[in-house]
Amino acid sequence: MEVDDFLMAFIYLGQELTYTFRDAMNYSIFVLLLLIPELPLETAQNPNVTDDEKQMLIDRHTFWRADVGLGPLEWSNEMALLADDWARQLKDQNCAFKHRLNNDFGENLFFGTVGYYTAGDAVDAWGKEKADYNYQTNTCKPDAMCGHYTQMVWETTTKVGCAKSICNGNVIWVCNYDPTGNWVGEKPY
């Protein structure tokens, strides 16, 4: 069957009895899109995080959550795409290291030497903030950060997605969380 015959058959099946060149081109594009092979989900959703890194990110989040009796997070391609967008913007801003403004999701950032720090090291850096967190008073030690840790172990957070950018010899990891945590006056678990 020739492409023109296929197009005619496709148009006929669609109850179109007459068509213009523009119509034919629209249907051709539609048919072409149907014929494009589906990309692997990992490639289509987040090309800069390998399967091994993704597994490490989930495993390390699970480790820190299990330490306080919480279940694992589910990988979210939506969160990974959001993280990828921000990681690329940070790179484009000459390796800036700042949180996205007006973000409806939780976000953790990590910055370190490329080739030295792994995805797991980024998560563990946030997890080690546990030493600076006082659950009883729901506060961090003076002059210490613990909000990355509390976001990771926020009980109602169920999804995470992460991405990285390589910039001037450094790696910037961004993880986004859904739903967000760190609500003022509330404990994480």
Side-chain angles (χ1 to χ4, degrees):
M1 177 182 275
E2 296 292 323
V3 174
D4 289 339
D5 294 334
F6 178 73
L7 183 58
M8 293 291 282
F10 181 79
I11 292 170
Y12 178 74
L13 290 174
Q15 303 300 316
E16 292 286 330
L17 299 177
T18 60
Y19 64 97
T20 65
F21 179 74
R22 192 184 84 211
D23 293 331
M25 291 307 297
N26 286 338
Y27 287 118
S28 297
I29 291 169
F30 177 72
V31 171
L32 179 61
L33 291 175
L34 290 176
L35 298 175
I36 295 174
E38 184 176 331
L39 293 172
L41 188 58
E42 191 65 34
T43 302
Q45 295 298 324
N46 196 348
N48 74 8
V49 176
T50 67
D51 288 339
D52 288 343
E53 288 173 325
K54 178 179 166 182
Q55 190 60 54
M56 187 181 298
L57 290 160
I58 291 294
D59 289 348
R60 298 315 298 157
H61 276 90
T62 299
F63 170 83
W64 290 103
R65 289 175 63 84
D67 188 51
V68 292
L70 299 176
L73 297 176
E74 173 186 326
W75 184 264
S76 166
N77 288 322
E78 178 186 0
M79 292 297 100
L81 286 172
L82 181 68
D84 183 61
D85 175 67
W86 189 239
R88 289 172 192 270
Q89 287 188 51
L90 293 174
K91 179 179 179 176
D92 291 344
Q93 295 175 34
N94 198 28
C95 308
F97 190 68
K98 60 185 178 182
H99 285 284
R100 180 190 297 261
L101 298 177
N102 303 315
N103 191 354
D104 292 331
F105 302 99
E107 182 178 80
N108 282 350
L109 304 176
F110 176 87
F111 190 93
T113 305
V114 72
Y116 184 79
Y117 293 102
T118 67
D121 293 328
V123 178
D124 287 343
W126 303 324
K128 289 176 183 175
E129 290 179 4
K130 179 180 181 180
D132 296 321
Y133 175 65
N134 182 320
Y135 181 80
Q136 297 306 319
T137 62
N138 196 30
T139 59
C140 302
K141 288 181 180 176
D143 300 320
M145 289 191 300
C146 62
H148 302 102
Y149 166 72
T150 54
Q151 173 56 80
M152 285 180 21
V153 298
W154 201 265
E155 186 172 15
T156 58
T157 296
T158 58
K159 298 176 184 175
V160 64
C162 306
K164 68 180 179 206
S165 279
I166 307 299
C167 187
N168 296 337
N170 294 295
V171 61
I172 303 169
W173 277 101
V174 179
C175 289
N176 285 116
Y177 301 85
D178 183 27
T180 189
N182 287 341
W183 292 100
V184 176
E186 293 183 28
K187 291 185 176 181
Y189 50 88

